[in-house]
Amino acid sequence: MPLTELACKNAPPPTDRPYVRLADSGGLYLEVTRSGGKYWRWKYRLADKEKRLALGVYPEVRLQQARHARDEARTLLRNGQDPGAVKKAAKKVVKKAAAKKP
């Protein structure tokens, strides 16, 4: 069953393990840590290897935004690109541009 915004908001931190995963659909899930942090993750497979992509922190990234980010990443994967590598390359470009500014 897909997640709701209310379920994300009220997700309690785990007591007996380091984190708990609340599944949405299409590999998207909300990971709740013992300290109360809530992180959006997307699990996917590329070349028979399981990978995870961080999509943001809840509540800054809402459920609808996380689903949209997952769909964009799925499009990249369908086109033969690794979404994790694309994100890493974009981050590198931004960092390089910021270093050039006086």
Side-chain angles (χ1 to χ4, degrees):
M1 185 166 109
L3 282 175
T4 62
E5 195 67 43
L6 187 60
C8 296
K9 181 181 177 186
N10 295 331
T15 55
D16 57 339
R17 51 190 161 178
Y19 59 87
V20 66
R21 293 178 178 171
L22 303 173
D24 184 46
S25 63
L28 179 67
Y29 60 92
L30 184 66
E31 189 173 86
V32 184
T33 63
R34 191 177 283 170
S35 62
K38 297 176 182 179
Y39 303 94
W40 290 111
R41 307 270 192 236
W42 179 55
K43 190 188 293 188
Y44 65 101
R45 295 189 79 77
L46 182 67
D48 293 332
K49 186 172 183 181
E50 186 175 288
K51 296 186 172 202
R52 294 183 342 154
L53 181 68
L55 300 176
V57 180
Y58 183 84
E60 287 85 22
V61 176
R62 309 301 287 193
L63 176 60
Q64 197 66 20
Q65 295 168 317
R67 286 177 177 160
H68 181 71
R70 176 207 54 205
D71 293 341
E72 288 178 347
R74 287 178 84 177
T75 302
L76 287 173
L77 188 62
R78 226 177 284 126
N79 293 334
Q81 295 178 299
D82 181 2
V86 170
K87 183 177 177 182
K88 194 180 234 182
K91 202 173 191 180
K92 194 180 260 188
V93 168
V94 169
K95 190 174 182 181
K96 197 173 188 179
K100 285 186 179 180
K101 288 186 180 180

